[in-house]
Structures are given as C-alpha cells and as structure tokens.
C-alpha cells in the first residue's frame, strides 16, 4: 500500500474525498420516512402471499373439539 507521504497532497485529498463520497452512498435510504417503508414492506409481503388466509380448516375443527371437551367436563362435574 502506498503511503500518503509519497503522493502529492492534492491527489491524497482528492482520493480521500472520493472515498468519503463512496462511503456515504452506501448508507443512503430508499425511504423518506417509516410510513413509506412499512407500506413498501407490507406490499412486498402481500406479493409473496404471507397475509393469505389459511386454506386448512383444522384450526377451526380443533377449536370446536376442545370446546366440546371443556363443555363435557363441566357438565360431568356439575
């Protein structure tokens, strides 16, 4: 690696400025505020199908079965 002393000061300064611009560009945000980010995030997740209703009826059937067991237990001990 070449040291800064061997180069002229003007080229060293220009090199540092170019490095600073390059570093700043990596931290740029695509969204101006959190609402814009959340809207884009939700739109992307909907496109992936994450918010669709479950296609299986097993959760409803299991809930009904548990409710019937609780009701039967209450009636048994009442």
């Amino acid at each position: 690696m070449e040291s800064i002393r061997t180069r002229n000061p003007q080229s060293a300064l220009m090199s540092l400025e170019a490095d600073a611009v390059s570093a700043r560009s990596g931290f740029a945000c695509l969204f101006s505020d959190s609402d814009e980010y959340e809207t884009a995030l939700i739109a992307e997740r909907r496109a992936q199908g994450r918010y669709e209703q479950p296609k299986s009826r097993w959760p409803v059937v299991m809930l009904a079965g548990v409710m019937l067991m609780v009701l039967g237990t209450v009636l048994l001990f009442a």
Side-chain angles (χ1 to χ4, degrees), residues 29-43:
C29 185
L30 299 175
F31 308 104
S32 61
D33 60 0
S34 63
D35 290 335
E36 191 176 318
Y37 168 74
E38 289 174 5
T39 301
L41 182 65
I42 290 170

Side-chain angles (χ1 to χ4, degrees), residues 5-34:
R5 290 181 191 167
T6 59
R7 292 190 275 168
N8 72 20
Q10 184 64 27
S11 68
L13 182 61
M14 289 176 55
S15 174
L16 286 174
E17 286 177 358
D19 289 343
V21 168
S22 174
R24 273 189 233 118
S25 68
F27 294 111
C29 185
L30 299 175
F31 308 104
S32 61
D33 60 0
S34 63

